[in-house]
Amino acid sequence: MIYLTRRERFNAAHRLFLQEWSDEKNLEVFGKCSNPNWHGHNYELFVTVKGEINPKIGFVINLKHLSKIVRELIIEKVDHKNLNIDVPFMLGKITSAENIAISFWEELEPEINKLNCELHCIKIFETENNYIEYFGK
Ligand code: NI
């Protein structure tokens, strides 16, 4: 089994908050990410797929195909957008890196399954010192 990763970057705004809480309570729980007037992050996304090598061509998949899927299904929808209000698949969700990763997985998995491989991991850096990984469950 070979693991293959495509990296993409995007910039997006968000706010972590619960409507029913005061700004003070949101600040206490969500920290600076609860800023009422939004803020942004330079996100880094790593999409890892796994599969067997096609012996004839020496590839698991053509990376151009993976790149195209990630760009069309994710990057074009989130880059320079507000994750809370501009991105249909994030509506109604708290835009934590955890929930972003799960949502990206749900968007990508059906298309990646059409290639000769499986989605293995979605990894997201929200800041350079923090990242989360999601393996589909
Ligand atoms: Ni934030």
Side-chain angles (χ1 to χ4, degrees):
M1 186 74 76
I2 298 284
Y3 294 76
L4 206 144
T5 300
R6 172 73 190 177
R7 181 187 71 162
E8 295 285 349
R9 287 185 276 203
F10 63 96
N11 314 117
H14 82 153
R15 180 189 179 203
L16 301 182
F17 72 110
L18 290 178
Q19 195 82 52
E20 64 265 33
W21 287 357
S22 65
D23 287 351
E24 292 72 26
K25 174 77 174 173
N26 277 309
L27 179 63
E28 186 188 317
V29 173
F30 295 114
K32 287 181 176 178
C33 280
S34 74
N35 179 36
N37 289 328
W38 314 106
H39 66 281
H41 293 281
N42 298 318
Y43 290 93
E44 208 168 8
L45 166 65
F46 294 83
V47 177
T48 302
V49 302
K50 61 185 173 186
E52 300 296 342
I53 295 176
N54 176 337
K56 196 168 180 180
I57 57 172
F59 290 167
V60 174
I61 55 161
N62 187 328
L63 266 173
K64 272 190 193 164
H65 295 162
L66 179 60
S67 166
K68 186 168 184 279
I69 287 171
V70 175
R71 295 202 65 81
E72 285 179 3
L73 293 181
I74 304 295
I75 302 302
E76 285 174 15
K77 295 179 180 170
V78 299
D79 190 35
H80 288 72
K81 298 287 169 59
N82 182 320
L83 298 174
N84 291 66
I85 57 182
D86 293 330
V87 180
F89 60 76
M90 292 305 303
L91 289 176
K93 299 176 186 172
I94 291 183
T95 55
S96 60
E98 290 89 330
N99 282 340
I100 294 169
I102 292 170
S103 298
F104 285 6
W105 180 287
E106 288 167 354
E107 294 300 302
L108 289 171
E109 194 190 23
E111 285 306 308
I112 286 177
N113 283 342
K114 293 178 187 169
L115 306 174
N116 182 37
C117 64
E118 281 174 64
L119 185 55
H120 173 66
C121 179
I122 298 289
K123 178 171 171 176
I124 296 182
F125 282 78
E126 191 177 71
T127 69
E128 62 185 20
N129 294 324
N130 300 308
Y131 68 86
I132 64 103
E133 291 171 296
Y134 182 58
F135 296 92
K137 55 188 166 185

